[in-house]
Amino acid sequence: MKKKLNLFCVLILVLKAAQIVIGNVMSFGENAQAFKQGWEDGGKPGADTDTGFWGELFIVILGLACIFLIIRSLIAFVRFILNVNRDKVFVLENVPLLRWTGWGLLSATVMIAIYDLVEHTPVDRIYNETMDDFIFSVFCLIMAEVFMIGLKLQEEQDLTI
């Protein structure tokens, strides 16, 4: 059982890393062109600067919050995998790690989706970009609750004579 759980966790970690790398590589040309256009337009008088200082500050803070949540979620998931490798599968320490992974990714996904909606990104593109992360985060939250129920059942069984 430990080998299967460990295999699935590592597989999920590799697939999420591949999704991030492939997503960034696929959109590199599009992002590079948009960056170049923004760089050229930014120096011109009358450039499109309708967000203002506070809008730009909000975008930076939102981006930093998303990065923090994603990194924290990744660290929690790696710690969960390490616990499974150390034969600490059904322990109370794993429940908060899975919850951190789930809630962190869910929060970051929602913030990214809201930002994309504000930037008038088409809904089908937002769906394609965020649905995998949303499903994975909900899966982690479900697994955390399953682990919690399993721990409660194990505790009740230990108390049974």
Side-chain angles (χ1 to χ4, degrees):
M1 180 176 91
K2 176 192 150 205
K3 286 184 181 183
K4 284 184 184 179
L5 183 61
N6 191 20
L7 178 69
F8 289 140
C9 288
V10 170
L11 182 64
I12 287 174
L13 189 64
V14 168
L15 289 174
K16 290 304 290 176
Q19 179 188 17
I20 290 169
V21 169
I22 290 171
N24 287 331
V25 168
M26 297 295 264
S27 66
F28 180 71
E30 177 184 312
N31 289 340
Q33 183 63 29
F35 178 79
K36 182 180 176 185
Q37 184 68 31
W39 185 268
E40 291 170 356
D41 291 345
K44 296 178 184 174
D48 186 21
T49 57
D50 59 358
T51 57
F53 173 76
W54 295 109
E56 292 294 324
L57 182 65
F58 176 73
I59 290 171
V60 168
I61 291 172
L62 187 69
L64 291 175
C66 287
I67 290 170
F68 169 76
L69 288 170
I70 291 169
I71 290 173
R72 179 65 173 104
S73 298
L74 179 65
I75 290 170
F77 191 68
V78 169
R79 286 182 56 201
F80 170 73
I81 293 172
L82 292 175
N83 280 346
V84 171
N85 282 334
R86 295 182 192 125
D87 289 331
K88 296 181 349 184
V89 179
F90 289 104
V91 293
L92 192 57
E93 181 183 348
N94 286 339
V95 175
L97 292 176
L98 285 172
R99 285 182 179 160
W100 255 108
T101 302
W103 283 115
L105 283 179
L106 185 65
S107 301
T109 302
V110 167
M111 284 192 281
I112 290 168
I114 289 172
Y115 171 75
D116 285 345
L117 281 173
V118 169
E119 291 294 316
H120 306 294
T121 304
V123 176
D124 59 335
R125 184 172 176 192
I126 296 171
Y127 176 82
N128 290 335
E129 290 176 355
T130 60
M131 187 49 68
D132 294 338
D133 295 331
F134 178 75
I135 290 171
F136 179 67
S137 61
V138 170
F139 174 74
C140 285
L141 291 172
I142 290 171
M143 287 306 298
E145 295 309 310
V146 167
F147 270 60
M148 194 67 206
I149 291 169
L151 286 170
K152 286 181 183 178
L153 290 173
Q154 183 181 15
E155 182 181 314
E156 287 179 11
Q157 183 181 9
D158 291 342
L159 294 175
T160 305
I161 296 177

